């Protein structure tokens, strides 16, 4: 815990030194953000579990506060796309169906409310035995309203994440407790109304600790490169400090993924839809 707190303080200071307060048309070109989320899952049966994320996000300079709650149903893929090699893991690990809400409290504009639906799939890319690349591709349907009488805006977004977790003093992933390093890269593509939603490239190195009880704490320093935010502001650089808390309510007899593969149900830095 002392290690995590010390690194967190260092990263926060680093962000303060790098970020600038630059606003164009009430949008942010370079900013620093703080995210915190609590994640828990409930086992339904041996092939299904429900994962839920409740989170809060804020941005500096003061533009908005964001509150989110999203749940995802995870379905084990145990019949399709299996390797012919005996004992090999299936290429497709699991399927995901989700829904949730995101409320954005804007300081200088009307507030924004979003309903989001999710369909995704997790799969592996064969690499070295000790280091597996975990892939997550998902499609999102996003319905937003700004409470200004203009109705709802609709958008579709495709995102893909590649991640790996490296445990301390070990080169394999299954362990009951200890320090580990989750690292991921993610790209976001907007399929509809790209002029009103951000395309994002996200890099997320982190450090985590897993306890024998199943509790996991993860601290990330994230860099987002975004484009297409407004007509006059074509790009944004976001520096984010993120704390993630994971709690397993029920132990799984056969986990859908290695014990310390971090799961994500939501990620976004998109400002309010323009009028």
């Amino acid at each position: 815990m002392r290690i995590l707190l010390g690194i967190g303080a260092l990263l926060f200071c680093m962000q303060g030194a790098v970020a600038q307060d630059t606003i164009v048309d009430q949008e942010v070109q370079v900013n620093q953000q703080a995210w915190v989320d609590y994640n828990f899952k409930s086992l339904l049966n041996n092939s299904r579990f429900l994962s839920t994320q409740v989170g809060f996000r804020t941005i500096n300079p003061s533009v908005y506060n964001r509150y989110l709650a999203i749940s995802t149903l995870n379905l084990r893929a145990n019949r399709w796309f299996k390797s012919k090699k005996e004992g090999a893991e299936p290429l497709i690990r699991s399927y995901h169906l989700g829904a949730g809400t995101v409320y954005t409290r804007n300081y200088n504009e009307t507030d924004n409310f979003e309903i989001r639906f999710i369909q995704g799939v997790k799969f592996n890319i064969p690499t070295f035995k000790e280091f597996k690349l975990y892939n997550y591709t998902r499609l999102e349907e996003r319905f937003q309203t700004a409470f200004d009488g203009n109705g709802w805006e609709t958008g579709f977004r495709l995102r893909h994440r590649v991640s790996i977790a490296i445990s301390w003093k070990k080169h394999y992933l299954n362990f009951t407790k200890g320090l580990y390093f989750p690292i991921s890269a993610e790209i976001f593509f907007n399929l509809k109304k790209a002029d009103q939603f951000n395309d994002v490239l996200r890099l997320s190195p982190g450090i985590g600790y897993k306890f024998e009880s199943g509790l996991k704490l993860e601290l990330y320093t994230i860099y987002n490169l975004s484009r297409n935010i407004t007509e006059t502001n074509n790009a944004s650089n976001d520096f984010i400090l993120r704390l993630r808390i994971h709690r397993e309510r029920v132990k799984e007899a056969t986990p859908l993924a290695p014990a310390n593969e971090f799961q994500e149900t939501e990620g976004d830095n998109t400002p309010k839809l323009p009028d």
Side-chain angles (χ1 to χ4, degrees):
M1 288 294 298
R2 292 180 180 178
I3 296 177
L4 288 176
L5 292 174
I7 294 177
L10 177 61
L11 293 176
F12 185 81
C13 294
M14 291 173 61
Q15 290 188 87
V18 174
Q20 305 174 30
D21 291 354
T22 304
I23 302 179
V24 177
D25 292 344
Q26 301 302 319
E27 302 292 352
V28 180
Q29 285 183 316
V30 180
N31 66 73
Q32 53 187 342
Q33 301 184 30
W35 297 1
V36 60
D37 51 77
Y38 178 72
N39 305 267
F40 59 92
K41 61 182 180 180
S42 302
L43 183 66
L44 303 179
N45 55 43
N46 287 335
S47 62
R48 297 179 179 86
F49 72 86
L50 187 67
S51 59
T52 300
Q53 178 186 116
V54 180
F56 170 77
R57 299 176 180 184
T58 187
I59 184 173
N60 183 34
S62 297
V63 176
Y64 63 77
N65 290 328
R66 178 164 292 156
Y67 309 85
L68 59 96
I70 295 180
S71 291
T72 305
L73 177 63
N74 303 264
L75 309 170
R76 184 194 308 278
N78 55 4
R79 294 184 180 180
W80 301 280
F81 301 102
K82 281 191 175 182
S83 172
K84 295 181 180 180
K85 185 178 178 181
E86 185 68 23
E89 294 181 350
L91 176 63
I92 304 296
R93 296 190 63 87
S94 57
Y95 301 98
H96 304 258
L97 300 172
T101 59
V102 182
Y103 181 82
T104 303
R105 175 68 175 90
N106 292 294
Y107 283 86
N108 298 316
E109 300 288 341
T110 56
D111 293 349
N112 180 261
F113 178 73
E114 175 182 332
I115 299 175
R116 184 176 304 180
F117 297 98
I118 299 167
Q119 306 85 46
V121 58
K122 283 189 177 182
F123 61 95
N124 294 339
I125 292 181
T127 55
F128 298 104
K129 182 178 180 181
E130 294 84 0
F131 295 98
K132 297 177 182 178
L133 291 178
Y134 294 96
N135 291 258
Y136 182 30
T137 299
R138 85 184 193 194
L139 177 67
E140 298 174 340
E141 298 87 27
R142 311 174 65 189
F143 305 93
Q144 296 192 4
T145 180
F147 304 108
D148 55 4
N150 292 326
W152 292 79
E153 295 281 355
T154 302
F156 299 92
R157 182 172 69 178
L158 183 68
R159 54 193 288 186
H160 178 77
R161 184 183 72 223
V162 179
S163 59
I164 187 172
I166 305 172
S167 60
W168 183 251
K169 294 182 179 179
K170 297 182 181 180
H171 297 290
Y172 53 89
L173 297 180
N174 291 319
F175 63 98
T176 58
K177 67 174 183 177
L179 197 66
Y180 62 97
F181 301 91
I183 304 169
S184 69
E186 190 168 11
I187 191 165
F188 300 72
F189 293 103
N190 291 287
L191 306 178
K192 182 182 179 182
K193 293 184 180 292
D195 59 325
Q196 296 186 6
F197 293 95
N198 288 351
D199 290 336
V200 180
L201 173 62
R202 175 177 298 166
L203 302 177
S204 306
I207 182 172
Y209 190 88
K210 181 179 180 180
F211 300 86
E212 288 183 338
S213 63
L215 175 68
K216 293 187 294 184
L217 300 178
E218 296 173 347
L219 186 67
Y220 294 88
T221 175
I222 300 173
Y223 171 70
N224 278 356
L225 175 62
S226 306
R227 67 182 183 89
N228 296 335
I229 355 185
T230 65
E231 292 182 356
T232 58
N233 186 3
N234 293 322
S236 170
N237 294 281
D238 312 312
F239 298 90
I240 304 164
L241 186 68
R242 183 179 194 180
L243 174 63
R244 307 201 69 192
I245 304 169
H246 297 264
R247 167 69 73 178
E248 294 185 8
R249 288 186 171 182
V250 180
K251 284 288 185 178
E252 292 183 76
T254 308
L256 293 181
N260 69 334
E261 182 192 359
F262 57 99
Q263 300 167 355
E264 176 144 300
T265 56
E266 202 279 338
D268 181 28
N269 74 316
T270 309
K272 182 184 80 65
L273 289 176
D275 297 335

